[in-house]
DNA sequence: ACCTGAACACCGTTCAAGT
DNA sequence: ACCTGAACACCGTTCAAGT
């Protein structure tokens, strides 16, 4: 009505213009959105481009390839890890376990990122801060240098493997009841094995099929790893 | 020349007729061939079908889907593992490590199978024999039942993760010199970090970038895990 | 019962052409 | 310098039609 005629009438797009230029950050944002919403297998160059309202070819001006995009997603997840508690040398084992729990939490919060993390060497600033903190804790525990160096490789590998395993299993889109039926079928199967050839598998069928879900398995794993590391401490 | 005219002349295909019927075994054979020759990413239903001289649709009469084919490949690799040494309770830790080495060897001999193994529950006979043997060794070490049960999950998970990581890295088709350049670049990068924020990363840059290839990392991992398990032994 | 061709709905990546 | 449409060479899976 009162619109001055010399000002062209444009559809109101206040916050974000449609032709906002592409850049790495916007691409990773979009990829992260697809990742969280639809899982790793859905994160294709095409889907990410679509989420940005463009074609796949446009992404290649900012990202070398899918592999590099994966790396950027891993760094995003690493940046979400919080290690705020000051290092307490006396509690190095407990603090190392807390770090592993936090790593798993961040990976779970970004389903699919574990897959991308497996071959990756974490070099972003946040990832380096994690490494430095792990080394600090390990040196607090008198772990020799070379062992500490290998440990900062072993620890993320284990956490990532657990997270990746979970995403593979959840990709089957089984309902909880399906999982339960599978587990109980597994138990019956173990129980039905010939006891002369598989005595322990039969005898332990109960515990073999318990705690498969939940965090007990992970807690066991980090307890074993931290205890194993502690056994390498130099006497002094 | 001396060929009797009433016998039709056919191209000589002595050992294998072209229309030998498809079955699971032939499909897995072909998939294994593709896997070893070209890696996991090349194992597509189409490539496997092509190797059998047919189309992808033909496979679905014998194999439910790609996932099931993966499972069959894992069982093949599990069947190649050899655990011949009789169980010696006094040497349970060393024999457990030997099992882990043999698992890794079999996975490496079938590049790509690790990827397929990650979500899989190993249920073939050979896999069950591995599980039974692991349980025997763990009970020889006085490991409590529930811990032993979780350990037979943790052990293959770790070995598989190492093998998978290797295949991901080898999928980059870097030459050895490229890897070496990357490693030395990494060391320079660690050395160049601000020493006030990353003192240990800087100080340990040497060991952090050594033994990345080779088996030392794996030997470290199995030593940590076995030592951690040993620490859980019941006193008696 | 088993096999097949053709189709459907997808991939990652490249490239010449546009702005 | 950045973006795009179209193409290339692939995927897993389904299905009607053949033998």
């Amino acid at each position: 009505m009162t619109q001055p005629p010399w000002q062209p009438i444009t559809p109101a797009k206040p916050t974000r213009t449609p032709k906002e230029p592409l850049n790495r950050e916007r691409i990773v944002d979009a990829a992260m959105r697809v990742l969280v919403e639809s899982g790793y297998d859905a994160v294709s160059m095409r889907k990410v481009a679509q989420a940005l309202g463009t074609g796949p070819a446009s992404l290649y001006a900012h990202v070398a390839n899918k592999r590099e995009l994966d790396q950027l997603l891993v760094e995003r997840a690493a940046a979400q890890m919080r290690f705020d508690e000051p290092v307490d040398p006396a509690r190095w084992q407990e603090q190392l376990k807390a770090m592993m729990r936090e790593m798993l939490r961040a990976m779970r919060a970004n389903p699919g990122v574990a897959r991308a993390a497996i071959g990756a060497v974490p070099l972003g600033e946040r990832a380096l801060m994690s490494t430095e903190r792990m080394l600090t804790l390990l040196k607090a525990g008198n772990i020799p240098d070379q062992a500490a160096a290998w440990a900062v490789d072993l620890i993320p590998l284990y956490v990532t493997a657990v997270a990746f395993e979970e995403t593979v299993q959840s990709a089957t889109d089984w309902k909880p009841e399906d999982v339960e039926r599978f587990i109980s079928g597994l138990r019956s199967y173990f129980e039905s094995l010939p006891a002369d050839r598989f005595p322990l598998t039969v005898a332990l069928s109960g515990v073999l099929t318990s705690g498969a879900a939940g965090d007990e398995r992970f807690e066991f794993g980090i307890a074993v790893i931290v205890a194993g590391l502690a056994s390498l401490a130099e006497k002094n």
Side-chain angles (χ1 to χ4, degrees), chain A:
Chain A
M1 289 296 159
T2 56
Q3 195 85 299
W6 58 87
Q7 185 166 334
I9 298 164
T10 52
K13 300 220 173 169
T15 54
R16 175 176 284 185
T17 65
K19 285 289 116 184
E20 188 172 351
L22 239 43
N23 56 44
R24 276 173 163 253
E25 205 190 323
R26 286 193 61 214
I27 291 173
V28 178
D29 282 347
M32 211 72 200
R33 233 148 43 215
V34 176
L35 185 70
V36 171
E37 276 164 29
S38 316
Y40 177 78
D41 287 336
V43 183
S44 63
M45 299 300 269
R46 298 174 116 90
K47 285 274 174 57
V48 173
Q50 198 182 22
L52 290 162
T54 183
S58 303
L59 307 184
Y60 286 86
H62 304 93
V63 172
N65 49 35
K66 179 81 199 310
R67 227 180 113 77
E68 187 175 285
L69 181 56
D70 282 352
Q71 290 267 0
L72 295 172
L73 290 173
V74 175
E75 279 173 29
R76 262 308 158 84
Q80 289 173 13
M81 298 174 189
R82 294 285 158 219
F83 308 112
D84 297 327
E85 198 187 5
V87 169
D88 175 0
R91 296 180 57 247
W92 72 273
Q93 296 192 39
E94 187 45 50
Q95 290 193 326
L96 210 48
K97 289 184 196 173
M99 282 192 78
M100 295 173 82
R101 289 187 198 103
E102 173 65 6
M103 288 180 198
L104 184 64
R105 188 202 60 73
M107 299 240 217
R108 281 178 172 162
N110 302 283
V113 98
R115 172 55 236 281
I118 269 196
V121 184
L123 293 176
E125 179 170 27
R126 306 286 315 198
L128 286 176
M129 287 171 65
S130 297
T131 299
E132 181 69 24
R133 185 183 171 94
M134 276 191 276
L135 289 171
T136 310
L137 292 170
L138 290 160
K139 293 314 289 176
N142 277 322
I143 311 298
D145 285 355
Q146 182 64 75
W150 280 327
V152 299
D153 178 75
L154 170 65
I155 287 169
L157 178 62
Y158 172 65
V159 178
T160 307
V162 169
F164 180 45
E165 198 184 29
E166 286 180 7
T167 69
V168 169
Q169 280 158 0
S170 75
T172 59
D173 60 359
W174 280 6
K175 297 185 212 85
E177 66 204 63
D178 296 327
V179 175
E180 211 169 310
R181 190 168 339 109
F182 176 74
I183 299 274
S184 82
L186 205 56
R187 185 166 51 244
S188 315
Y189 177 60
F190 285 158
E191 284 165 358
S192 74
L193 290 171
D196 54 330
R197 296 183 56 213
F198 301 102
L200 288 167
T201 307
V202 173
L204 301 186
S205 59
V207 285
L208 280 169
T209 53
S210 77
D215 286 338
E216 294 160 300
R217 260 174 68 246
F218 181 67
E219 285 297 321
F220 173 77
I222 67 182
V224 166
I225 288 172
V226 172
L229 290 171
S231 77
L232 302 177
E234 282 167 329
K235 320 280 181 284
N236 60 359

